[in-house]
Amino acid sequence: MVNTIKLYQPLLRAAMKLAGVRPRKIEIEPGTAMNFWAPTRTPNKNKNAVVFLHGFVGGRMITWHFQVLALARKYAVYVPDLLFFGGSATGDSHRTVDFQAECVAKGLAALGLRQCTVVGSSYGGMVAFKLAESRPELVKSVVATCTVPVLTDSISKESLERLGFPAWSDLLLPNSVGEVKKMFEVGSHKLPRIPDRVFKD
């Protein structure tokens, strides 16, 4: 049987290219590389730039493909896979929001971007806030949803209790179709009916 996610990916890549964005692999530093969707042409000063940062539920294009398709003609759209998603990886031992934000900033600089609006969802929202704090000359404004500026121990504990999970890994690292479905239900508003086969893929 055909894996629906693997079938969808080349269709999505083709749609993104038609919208004027293409995949780019940027070496942030030796041993650290991030994948970006970025404008086909070099930054256009007449177009405002928008950077989309994804959360844990899905990667860059699963989360943002509708927004990219809607905005890519009027805006210079950049969509990175954060480290440890979609082939973006590092050998560095840092596992912090600060390090993610630093890598995003370096990647955007390598792509020639000087100023942008950052849109972040969930974990991507926390990275967006940190990026704005550390690089005010880069970030003109932030749009954030389903997030907090900083995930404190008390917020983390309260959120886990409300969601009914003992640890974040139980929610974010699913081991079964039911757990994947639950993760998407938590991370989505009005999740449409999706066959179990798609969750399995």
Side-chain angles (χ1 to χ4, degrees):
M1 266 195 155
V2 175
N3 182 309
T4 55
I5 303 302
K6 287 184 179 174
L7 180 66
Y8 181 63
Q9 288 174 336
L11 297 173
L12 186 56
R13 279 193 294 272
M16 294 301 107
K17 287 180 182 177
L18 286 173
V21 294
R22 66 185 173 112
R24 300 277 305 272
K25 189 172 197 99
I26 305 295
E27 185 177 32
I28 306 301
E29 56 191 42
T32 300
M34 293 184 83
N35 292 318
F36 283 77
W37 281 95
T40 304
R41 296 186 178 90
T42 55
N44 181 340
K45 291 183 181 179
N46 298 322
K47 280 187 171 183
N48 290 324
V50 180
V51 176
F52 290 101
L53 301 178
H54 64 83
F56 272 90
V57 179
R60 63 185 167 160
M61 295 319 299
I62 294 295
T63 303
W64 298 115
H65 65 276
F66 291 121
Q67 289 80 4
V68 171
L69 292 172
L71 298 176
R73 301 242 185 259
K74 289 182 79 173
Y75 297 90
V77 177
Y78 298 80
V79 191
D81 266 321
L82 295 174
L83 292 172
F84 314 110
F85 294 88
S88 291
T90 184
D92 195 296
S93 62
H94 289 93
R95 301 289 185 267
T96 64
V97 172
D98 298 61
F99 185 62
Q100 287 276 16
E102 179 187 334
C103 290
V104 170
K106 288 179 179 177
L108 294 172
L111 291 166
L113 188 60
R114 299 289 170 251
Q115 192 174 58
C116 61
T117 293
V118 182
V119 179
S121 176
S122 186
Y123 178 66
M126 288 188 285
V127 176
F129 285 128
K130 183 51 72 175
L131 188 60
E133 179 187 347
S134 64
R135 302 289 176 104
E137 73 287 351
L138 172 65
V139 180
K140 183 176 169 184
S141 58
V142 172
V143 178
T145 181
C146 305
T147 192
V148 293
V150 178
L151 186 61
T152 63
D153 288 341
S154 61
I155 292 172
S156 181
K157 184 179 178 196
E158 182 182 320
S159 298
L160 284 169
E161 285 174 3
R162 190 168 27 89
L163 294 170
F165 290 92
W168 285 111
S169 59
D170 295 323
L171 170 64
L172 301 173
L173 299 171
N175 290 311
S176 68
V177 168
E179 291 176 4
V180 172
K181 194 182 290 189
K182 180 67 175 170
M183 180 180 70
F184 274 89
E185 286 170 357
V186 167
S188 303
H189 176 69
K190 293 185 179 177
L191 186 68
R193 285 183 56 95
I194 298 172
D196 283 355
R197 180 166 174 256
V198 173
F199 287 113
K200 185 172 190 256
D201 291 346

